[in-house]
Amino acid sequence: MAEEYAIAMDIGTSGLRAQAIDLSDNSTISTTVTLRHPIPGANVMDHLHFAVNVGLEQAHQLIIEAANKVVDQLGIDKSKVVRFAVCGNPIQMSLFQNIEIRDLAYWGTNAMERLNITPPKRNAQRLKPGDVDLDINPDADVFIPPAIKHEIGADALAMLVKSGVVDKEGIYLVSDFGTNAEIALVIDGEIFSCSAAAGPAMEGQAIERGMLASPGAICDVTADGDNWVNKVLNSDLKVVAGDTMNVSAGEVITPRDNDTQAKGITGTGVISAYSLGTEQDIISIPDIKTPNNKLNLQDGVYLSEKDMVEIGKALGAFRAAHITLCVEAGIDLDDIDAVYMAGASGFYVDPLKSLTVGQIPACSWDIYQIGNTSLLMARDIVENPDLLDELQEVADGMQGNHITLATSEIFEKIYGLELAVCEQNMPLWKYDEWLESYGYGNLPEVEDDPEIHRLYDSDIPDIGINGLSIIEEVGTKLEAKIDGCINCKACENECPENALKIEDGVATIRSDFCNGSACFRCERICPEKVFLYEKMFYIQGEESVSL
């Protein structure tokens, strides 16, 4: 049999992950991840805003160029790739396919009719690489898994199928944690779902020394008396012990016995530090009670008070979403039989800390950590293409109730309480009083001895014989001539990510560093009010590393 390869890819809100597979024995050859998403923005709504206001074609080309970079990095003969499967949420999948996306931006049939929008079906599809500009063997099959409804995407289907909860009686909460968290409450097969824009802090972004889950990331901290032991991801994405630190003084108490240096901290590490700091009374949100008002971890990595507010907002979105789903379904949080945690953030975080900070319900007593289900399902499809039709049947048979949190009065009330906790230090007993007054029940007691089931050693169990490679520079150029620009460079100086340069009235933005509609400080600071972000356009193939 001639050599034949397959590629499985997960397009997440914070970046891309892919694996090359040898179809002769379904073994993993290599794994590649990007540290950022190629489209400007800090969350999925920013990506949607870019596609609607700057251009769908430009957003599609940014994603495809990044996907092609990932394919190249996998190090296989692209002419021998015969299968390619990709999984992600409805926005990422629509951008990949270059199909109508405005139905995801505007809510309600009246808006659809007024804007003459016909939502696509988003069923399972088999395409050719040329249909989406993918640079692999032109005769390969490209597999697109189905959405359950247009709001409940392939990534949500992946976590439901891979967790097995759709076939079980009982009440289960399944979450794929990340910048945009997919959350589903499943009651005897009936699904109540939502997407919580938890924020980039969940992936280590919008954190001063934050990074995605990749080598060098602090992913956990544990207590050693009053000191903290850092846990760091090594080059194989395995967790190793880092330095033991006095985080108040920033002193190394016991140095690590390995050569893995910390480069930053990922979302799971932030959650862990948030939990441990609160437990030790070093943190009283939003304050950090150390001499420099920072948690001093190792190798110059730290967490600031600003970081604490960001993570508080993100965790608040989770707890508010959980309560909202339960209210909509007519149950209490205590009724949930088991909790499933998917994705890198859901895998590397300590579930006991997740309980105490609200990332999962405090009453969770049976917890499963199941890894990157989106990538796993893409892999299942390339190994068994007939699975695509089976997944369509599963999607067709699911009863879906999608709650749009942006328009939910229940969520609005609860998230207001969460903001009061993380920004104004409102005590949880007061939160509970307000919750009861709304008729939404009470906050449950924290389960002190849950059953924890960790199915793998890492969120990507097998990185392959050639190991893991990382693409740090995934962005390309956005450029525009700014008519009326006086070259004052106020926009360039204001950019918090150093993503913007302006020369002779021409603005150039590095797409993967730009925060997009989550920021717009470049527009607001312009003294002449001539800088219009929506006029930026994509320059195909041009790197912007020098920015």
Side-chain angles (χ1 to χ4, degrees):
M1 176 179 169
E3 275 187 332
E4 290 186 336
Y5 303 127
I7 294 174
M9 180 174 288
D10 164 41
I11 302 180
T13 304
S14 55
L16 288 69
R17 293 186 167 206
Q19 293 192 300
I21 299 150
D22 185 339
L23 288 177
S24 66
D25 57 5
N26 288 335
S27 61
T28 307
I29 300 169
S30 55
T31 301
T32 296
V33 304
T34 71
L35 293 186
R36 289 178 175 266
H37 196 285
I39 297 176
N43 59 54
V44 71
M45 298 312 295
D46 298 329
H47 298 164
L48 182 59
H49 181 278
F50 182 92
V52 171
N53 293 283
V54 178
L56 174 59
E57 178 65 29
Q58 298 198 62
H60 166 71
Q61 289 299 328
L62 282 167
I63 277 203
I64 291 299
E65 186 167 317
N68 285 329
K69 286 181 180 178
V70 169
V71 169
D72 289 340
Q73 192 71 23
L74 287 169
I76 57 174
D77 186 342
K78 295 187 292 184
S79 70
K80 295 179 180 178
V81 174
V82 296
R83 299 174 194 164
F84 184 103
V86 60
C87 193
N89 66 44
I91 291 173
Q92 306 299 342
M93 296 299 286
S94 298
L95 295 177
F96 179 84
Q97 297 175 75
N98 201 17
I99 61 175
E100 176 65 77
I101 198 170
R102 292 175 297 163
D103 60 308
L104 302 173
Y106 302 102
W107 183 251
T109 55
N110 290 338
M112 298 293 118
E113 292 174 0
R114 186 176 70 254
L115 296 167
N116 195 28
I117 297 171
T118 302
K121 288 188 178 296
R122 296 192 173 89
N123 288 333
Q125 293 186 60
R126 289 173 172 83
L127 306 174
K128 289 299 179 183
D131 296 332
V132 291
D133 303 316
L134 199 59
D135 184 21
I136 57 174
N137 168 23
D139 295 322
D141 291 315
V142 178
F143 301 103
I144 308 293
I148 303 170
K149 295 173 65 175
H150 84 281
E151 312 99 330
I152 309 175
D155 58 341
L157 176 64
M159 72 180 186
L160 292 168
V161 170
K162 297 300 290 184
S163 65
V165 298
V166 293
D167 300 318
K168 295 165 64 175
E169 292 185 0
I171 301 175
Y172 306 99
L173 184 72
V174 190
S175 300
D176 189 338
F177 297 102
T179 305
N180 187 67
E182 304 296 333
I183 305 174
L185 180 68
V186 185
I187 304 176
D188 296 330
E190 184 177 6
I191 303 163
F192 295 82
S193 69
C194 67
S195 295
M202 289 310 305
E203 295 283 7
Q205 299 180 82
I207 299 295
E208 290 182 21
R209 292 302 308 273
M211 62 185 291
L212 298 182
S214 54
I218 296 174
C219 62
D220 193 13
V221 293
T222 58
D224 180 11
D226 292 334
N227 300 315
W228 291 21
V229 181
N230 294 291
K231 301 296 179 70
V232 188
L233 296 180
N234 69 11
S235 58
D236 293 325
L237 287 181
K238 299 295 191 294
V239 179
V240 297
D243 294 338
T244 299
M245 299 288 298
N246 178 322
V247 295
S248 291
E251 296 177 355
V252 178
I253 304 302
T254 305
R256 57 188 178 269
D257 61 2
N258 55 73
D259 59 0
T260 299
Q261 184 172 7
K263 300 177 182 177
I265 183 166
T266 194
T268 58
V270 176
I271 291 168
S272 185
Y274 186 102
S275 172
L276 185 56
T278 303
E279 179 185 328
Q280 294 186 347
D281 198 33
I282 301 174
I283 299 172
S284 179
I285 299 297
D287 301 324
I288 297 178
K289 304 173 185 177
T290 63
N292 65 349
N293 303 117
K294 294 178 180 178
L295 298 176
N296 304 285
L297 302 172
Q298 73 173 64
D299 300 322
V301 180
Y302 63 85
L303 288 167
S304 68
E305 291 181 335
K306 175 180 175 291
D307 295 334
M308 291 296 104
V309 173
E310 289 295 324
I311 195 64
K313 290 177 182 178
L315 292 169
F318 285 125
R319 185 159 53 191
H322 298 154
I323 297 171
T324 300
L325 287 177
C326 287
V327 172
E328 292 281 2
I331 68 164
D332 294 327
L333 286 169
D334 288 323
D335 295 329
I336 295 171
D337 294 314
V339 170
Y340 291 78
M341 304 174 71
S345 293
F347 187 85
Y348 290 115
V349 72
D350 181 346
L352 296 176
K353 295 180 175 122
S354 294
L355 287 173
T356 62
V357 300
Q359 187 183 26
I360 59 176
C363 54
S364 302
W365 61 274
D366 199 17
I367 304 167
Y368 294 80
Q369 293 178 284
I370 56 177
N372 188 328
T373 54
S374 185
L375 183 60
L376 285 172
M377 191 168 83
R379 180 173 184 136
D380 287 348
I381 293 170
V382 294
E383 292 181 7
N384 175 22
D386 291 339
L387 178 61
L388 194 67
D389 296 326
E390 296 175 25
L391 289 170
Q392 185 62 64
E393 292 179 9
V394 171
D396 291 341
M398 285 185 178
Q399 302 177 59
N401 306 280
H402 187 76
I403 291 89
T404 303
L405 299 183
T407 58
S408 168
E409 293 184 4
I410 298 170
F411 181 81
E412 181 182 4
K413 289 180 180 178
I414 301 170
Y415 193 60
L417 300 177
E418 294 289 349
L419 291 178
V421 171
C422 70
E423 294 182 339
Q424 302 170 27
N425 204 13
M426 184 178 79
L428 287 181
W429 64 263
K430 190 66 176 177
Y431 179 116
D432 199 47
E433 282 187 357
W434 278 103
L435 203 63
E436 188 172 15
S437 72
Y438 292 146
Y440 299 157
N442 295 99
L443 291 174
E445 296 293 325
V446 175
E447 174 64 45
D448 57 7
D449 189 26
E451 289 282 339
I452 298 171
H453 314 270
R454 191 167 188 167
L455 303 189
Y456 309 108
D457 290 332
S458 72
D459 73 307
I460 303 177
D462 176 15
I463 60 175
I465 57 174
N466 292 339
L468 174 73
S469 62
I470 298 170
I471 299 177
E472 297 187 18
E473 314 291 352
V474 73
T476 53
K477 282 185 180 179
L478 302 174
E479 192 171 276
K481 179 74 170 69
I482 309 299
D483 293 333
C485 175
I486 59 174
N487 290 300
C488 67
K489 294 188 179 291
C491 55
E492 179 180 324
N493 296 330
E494 182 70 7
C495 180
E497 303 294 336
N498 295 318
L500 171 65
K501 291 289 184 183
I502 191 149
E503 292 182 6
D504 299 325
V506 176
T508 305
I509 289 176
R510 176 172 165 169
S511 68
D512 57 345
F513 274 25
C514 176
N515 283 333
S517 59
C519 180
F520 277 180
R521 286 164 64 169
C522 50
E523 276 197 10
R524 290 195 293 268
I525 198 67
C526 178
E528 303 298 311
K529 302 304 176 187
V530 295
F531 191 109
L532 298 176
Y533 184 85
E534 293 174 7
K535 298 296 184 182
M536 304 299 298
F537 62 91
Y538 162 67
I539 308 297
Q540 184 172 0
E542 293 223 13
E543 301 288 349
S544 47
V545 177
S546 61
L547 293 184

